[in-house]
Amino acid sequence: MGRLVAEVVDGMADAEVVQRVGSADALRFDEAVDAVVDVTLPQVSPDVVAAATAAGLPVLVGTSGWSGERIGSLRAGRPEDAPAVLIVPNFSVGAVLAARFAEQAATWFESIEIVEAHHAGKADSPSGTAVATAERIAAARSELGPVSAPHTDQRARGQQVASVPIHSLRLDGVQAKQDVLLGGPGELLTIRHETTSPVAYAAGIRLAIAALPALTGVTVGLEPLLLG
């Protein structure tokens, strides 16, 4: 993702990469830096956000692991005049739309589960996209209650996030794929999104970087930028 972000920025007329920070480098930023893009690891990402905030720099977070609880803690501890943080679980426009569709359908079905698959090298599971989707489903069903998920005490039933079981696959030959399955009497609705190449993330990265200077507070997802 770091290489892809650099390629996208290189293609933008009004942005450039002025510093690259690796895992062995100190979290200090050059004076020429106007904004930070974090595409690290879940255990490292909060430190990057903290360092950017301390330096007075807005930060775009493209790292998984930012659950609703972690985002809530970030919001609770930030002064009103703190620089903006934009957290994007998935830079794909199609993934944003799929999550919106799942949220809209969630009030019509009692049985809902998520199956997500990523390449074998992905460091975390479930994916940030799956967690964000489950949390949105739960929010949409706040007046209806949790989804129907029998036998969750069995290990093979996946990890529950906001009552929604998530099943994670890590396989060679896969880039990124997510199915939200919604079951009702006599029918099954599947909302599927699949990424076949990292180029799918380029438009979202470009949009997020361009929007970051005008943002305030903590923003989650591309949806506010795409759909308002």
Side-chain angles (χ1 to χ4, degrees), residues 157-172:
R157 291 290 292 119
Q159 176 180 328
Q160 278 192 295
V161 175
S163 84
V164 180
I166 301 178
H167 311 268
S168 296
L169 312 179
R170 297 293 175 261
L171 299 167
D172 291 332

Side-chain angles (χ1 to χ4, degrees), residues 170-193:
R170 297 293 175 261
L171 299 167
D172 291 332
V174 177
Q175 181 71 32
K177 179 180 177 182
Q178 177 171 290
D179 289 347
V180 181
L181 298 95
L182 304 100
E187 63 179 335
L188 174 67
L189 170 63
T190 301
I191 300 173
R192 171 175 293 178
H193 177 262

Side-chain angles (χ1 to χ4, degrees), residues 9-216:
V9 172
D10 285 342
M12 298 175 67
D14 54 353
E16 63 175 325
V17 177
V18 297
Q19 181 185 4
R20 301 177 190 231
V21 179
S23 58
D25 301 325
L27 285 173
R28 291 193 294 269
F29 306 107
D30 293 344
E31 292 184 0
V33 173
D34 294 318
V36 175
V37 179
D38 164 44
V39 281
T40 54
L41 294 169
Q43 63 270 28
V44 177
S45 187
D47 293 335
V48 177
V49 173
T53 297
L57 299 171
V59 55
L60 167 60
V61 179
T63 302
S64 291
W66 284 87
S67 64
E69 181 179 356
R70 177 180 278 188
I71 293 169
S73 297
L74 177 65
R75 284 185 168 132
R78 292 181 72 78
E80 290 186 4
D81 59 349
V85 178
L86 173 57
I87 299 171
V88 181
N90 195 314
F91 286 103
S92 162
V93 173
V96 173
L97 294 172
R100 167 68 75 90
F101 299 154
E103 182 181 18
Q104 291 174 329
T107 59
W108 296 92
F109 295 87
E110 291 299 314
S111 295
I112 306 175
E113 304 201 14
I114 297 172
V115 180
E116 58 95 352
H118 282 78
H119 56 89
K122 185 171 177 58
D124 61 315
S125 64
S127 70
T129 301
V131 170
T133 303
E135 291 175 341
R136 291 182 61 169
I137 288 171
R141 295 180 52 84
S142 60
E143 297 183 2
L144 299 172
V147 305
S148 175
H151 309 300
T152 54
D153 59 317
Q154 298 174 3
R155 293 180 62 186
R157 291 290 292 119
Q159 176 180 328
Q160 278 192 295
V161 175
S163 84
V164 180
I166 301 178
H167 311 268
S168 296
L169 312 179
R170 297 293 175 261
L171 299 167
D172 291 332
V174 177
Q175 181 71 32
K177 179 180 177 182
Q178 177 171 290
D179 289 347
V180 181
L181 298 95
L182 304 100
E187 63 179 335
L188 174 67
L189 170 63
T190 301
I191 300 173
R192 171 175 293 178
H193 177 262
E194 183 169 5
T195 300
T196 58
S197 167
V199 71
Y201 306 128
I205 293 170
R206 192 177 303 112
L207 174 65
I209 290 174
L212 187 60
L215 296 178
T216 59

